[in-house]
Amino acid sequence: MRFLARLILALLLITIIALTGFRIAAHLRETEAPADLAPDDGRLVPTALGGIFAIERGPAEGPPVLLIHGSVGWSGSWRHTLDALAAEGYRAVAIDLPPMGFSDRDPAGDYSRATTAARILAFVEASGAQPHIVAHSFGAGAAVEAVMQSPDAFASLTIVNGALPLDPAEDAALPLPLRPLWVRELFMASTVTNPLVSRPLLQNFLHRKEAATDDVLEVLARPSHLDGATEALALWLPAGLLPPAGLPSVSSAAYADIGVPTAIIWGAEDTTTPLPQGENLHALIPDSTLIVLPDIGHIPMIEDPEGFDAALIDVLAGMP
């Protein structure tokens, strides 16, 4: 028994040392200011809720398409799609949802779905356009909320492997160990912002594991060098883990009156948000279109950029 107790204590000590080391490494790595690290082909767009970083492609007079990334993604994740849409004559714009990417972070650390939806609407208002909105994974929640709150602001909605848990329990709460901010910082530093595990972490969301190339990883990791990246993501984590209560976008009944033409694109082999979730959305949204991409997992734009872009362009071409 003494040996077992000492072994457990030693393992616990090693774990604490390792987690602390990852947090210190993140602090030493995160030194860049947005102005020094943001890509030159993007710009910070002033809005009523702070600056939103955007990458734009295509003719100014083209039909506008607004691309919304998933969790710990950013606008640079959409470059292949931006170029494909621009080649078809669309005005394609990808934005960063704070605290991810290079948009201004919220001074109060408010990254809830309601506030994120308000940021999307603020960007649309600042742009003066009525875009087709295309949203992936976690980003779909805020996009759907924005559409439900202001359907006249959008020409259509396309949900891509949406992380949209519906009708959540009212008493859903963050697991007790993750409630302290410093614990969430250790968690983020050892996973999301840790370059040692970036490839297997990404592959966990992919059906085509080989799609986690060095180039893809380099793009995804770029904002993780910003000053305070780990702390900002730790502040965001509750919004990433818990579906919000009381919003239309978490109510199954609200999807019957979504208010804009809607399409759903889903990877058939998604194990993060399995296909039955997309099929359920299709059943809930009247006159919606469902496109299933074979041999694709949770991130179609990484696993099969050409196939995904072709499917999206077909969807947009068919929108009223």
Side-chain angles (χ1 to χ4, degrees), residues 114-293:
T115 301
T116 303
R119 289 192 179 98
I120 292 173
L121 289 170
F123 179 85
V124 170
E125 182 178 2
S127 70
Q130 185 190 39
H132 301 276
I133 188 168
V134 179
H136 173 244
S137 188
F138 168 80
V144 169
E145 185 65 30
V147 169
M148 287 181 169
Q149 290 186 15
S150 187
D152 292 341
F154 302 95
S156 73
L157 167 67
T158 299
I159 299 169
V160 182
N161 292 74
L164 290 164
L166 300 177
D167 306 316
E170 292 291 334
D171 59 351
L174 200 65
L176 188 61
L178 288 177
R179 291 179 190 176
L181 178 61
W182 66 270
V183 175
R184 300 202 301 272
E185 289 183 12
L186 291 178
F187 174 74
M188 284 298 185
S190 61
T191 57
V192 174
T193 62
N194 183 359
L196 297 177
V197 300
S198 58
R199 192 183 307 275
L201 187 63
L202 175 60
Q203 288 177 328
N204 187 57
F205 295 92
L206 305 177
H207 178 64
R208 299 185 181 182
K209 308 297 185 186
E210 69 278 6
T213 64
D214 290 344
D215 289 343
V216 166
L217 292 169
E218 183 178 354
V219 169
L220 290 175
R222 186 166 185 163
S224 68
H225 293 275
L226 288 172
D227 183 29
T230 292
E231 180 183 6
L233 289 171
L235 289 167
W236 162 84
L237 187 60
L241 293 179
L242 297 176
L247 295 181
S249 57
V250 299
S251 170
S252 296
Y255 283 75
D257 302 309
I258 204 161
V260 298
T262 302
I264 300 160
I265 300 176
W266 220 274
E269 305 299 329
D270 188 350
T271 57
T272 303
T273 53
L275 179 57
Q277 295 184 25
E279 294 171 335
N280 182 51
L281 289 172
H282 177 45
L284 291 172
I285 302 171
D287 302 318
S288 61
T289 301
L290 174 63
I291 297 92
V292 179
L293 304 178

Side-chain angles (χ1 to χ4, degrees), residues 47-71:
T47 79
L49 293 178
I52 299 293
F53 188 81
I55 299 176
E56 302 160 286
R57 297 283 192 277
E61 68 278 5
V65 180
L66 178 60
L67 302 170
I68 307 294
H69 62 79
S71 58

Side-chain angles (χ1 to χ4, degrees), residues 92-123:
V93 182
I95 64 172
D96 293 346
L97 300 180
M100 288 156 265
F102 299 93
S103 293
D104 290 344
R105 295 173 185 157
D106 191 295
D110 183 357
Y111 302 117
S112 64
R113 180 180 297 186
T115 301
T116 303
R119 289 192 179 98
I120 292 173
L121 289 170
F123 179 85

